[in-house]
Amino acid sequence: MAFRSCLLRKRVAEQIAERLSSGQSIPASQSSTAPNVPAPGQNSRSVTSIAAESEALLKRFDEMAYSTDAQRRGYLLEELLVRTFQLHQVDVVRSFKRNNGSEQIDAAFKLEGWHYLVECRWREKLADTRQVDGLRGQVQRSGKQTMGVFLAINGWSSHVPGNLKQNPDKSVLLMDGYDLRVVLEGRIALRELLLAKLTLFNIEGEPFVSVVQILAD
């Protein structure tokens, strides 16, 4: 199993390195209030270094699971997520405040011309509709080409996906801890996972499709 995980991590690393060597890049976000996170330098990353960094992030993710400080774990999750986006060459912005400091955005990223606001949660209690609605409100107060990604490591209550499906704006996508862990294991590239989820969301109206189903298909 460990050997197979190593091979999978190498495959994803090769995909990232190929994007770097071909000169593919995403321009940095333009924001006067949010600090930009620069993408790694073009043509400077080897397959080995990319795989090693992914493995280090996975180790950190597993260590965070044992933390009893929920607030600190949340901050560490935000940082880990930013580093994962950087590694996978997806333009990302760190946590920032907007609207005169009244709104806290955990992270934001740009993919295929759309902007995404991210809410990160790592609590023992399952997330509920109230928390998801908070992200929906932030999306609604943003530009028209903005959606939300609600990342809840321990998942959400059973009624959350159904409520999102009933909502006509279809603006929030769900991710759980297993989705993130499989990316860190190198079994799927982050960009590939996000695009697959978005396709199923936009065509079938499903706000959450597990990475297990995506890999099986």
Side-chain angles (χ1 to χ4, degrees):
M1 181 64 73
F3 178 70
R4 182 171 180 271
S5 296
C6 183
L7 288 177
L8 289 166
R9 191 178 298 114
K10 182 179 179 182
R11 178 180 64 83
V12 171
E14 287 172 345
Q15 292 174 1
I16 298 169
E18 183 178 353
R19 284 179 52 80
L20 288 168
S21 63
S22 65
Q24 296 182 49
S25 63
I26 303 173
S29 301
Q30 300 298 316
S31 172
S32 59
T33 58
N36 293 326
V37 178
Q42 296 296 316
N43 304 315
S44 64
R45 308 294 301 279
S46 69
V47 171
T48 302
S49 67
I50 292 168
E53 186 171 345
S54 184
E55 186 173 2
L57 291 173
L58 175 61
K59 182 179 179 181
R60 180 135 189 208
F61 179 78
D62 288 342
E63 290 172 348
M64 288 161 55
Y66 293 98
S67 173
T68 57
D69 186 338
Q71 185 175 31
R72 182 172 184 273
R73 188 172 57 200
Y75 291 140
L76 291 174
L77 176 60
E78 291 176 16
E79 178 63 25
L80 183 142
L81 190 65
V82 166
R83 289 179 60 189
T84 303
F85 272 88
Q86 285 181 299
L87 180 64
H88 286 257
Q89 288 290 289
V90 178
D91 187 35
V92 65
V93 174
R94 293 182 185 275
S95 173
F96 63 96
K97 292 183 179 181
R98 67 179 192 181
N99 291 339
N100 297 320
S102 63
E103 284 187 299
Q104 174 74 37
I105 309 297
D106 290 344
F109 67 94
K110 184 179 180 181
L111 183 66
E112 302 291 318
W114 278 75
H115 297 270
Y116 297 83
L117 305 182
V118 182
E119 173 77 14
C120 299
R121 291 187 65 84
W122 196 336
R123 307 283 179 84
E124 296 300 326
K125 187 177 180 181
L126 297 178
D128 59 28
T129 297
R130 182 173 58 85
Q131 280 97 45
V132 179
D133 282 348
L135 177 59
R136 282 187 57 243
Q138 291 178 334
V139 170
Q140 291 168 355
R141 290 187 290 274
S142 304
K144 291 184 178 180
Q145 276 189 271
T146 306
M147 294 179 64
V149 173
F150 190 86
L151 171 62
I153 298 300
N154 288 332
W156 40 81
S157 55
S158 59
H159 58 269
V160 166
N163 288 344
L164 286 174
K165 287 183 70 171
Q166 293 172 12
N167 195 285
D169 61 18
K170 299 289 188 300
S171 60
V172 174
L173 185 72
L174 298 172
M175 284 185 65
D176 64 11
Y178 192 66
D179 287 335
L180 179 57
R181 196 179 199 286
V182 168
V183 170
L184 297 177
E185 287 176 350
R187 294 166 60 189
I188 189 170
L190 178 62
R191 180 183 298 270
E192 181 183 347
L193 174 65
L194 290 170
L195 291 176
K197 281 177 167 287
L198 286 165
T199 296
L200 292 165
F201 189 30
N202 289 318
I203 294 177
E204 300 183 13
E206 293 293 340
F208 177 69
V209 177
S210 173
V211 67
V212 175
Q213 181 178 334
I214 291 171
L215 289 174
D217 292 342

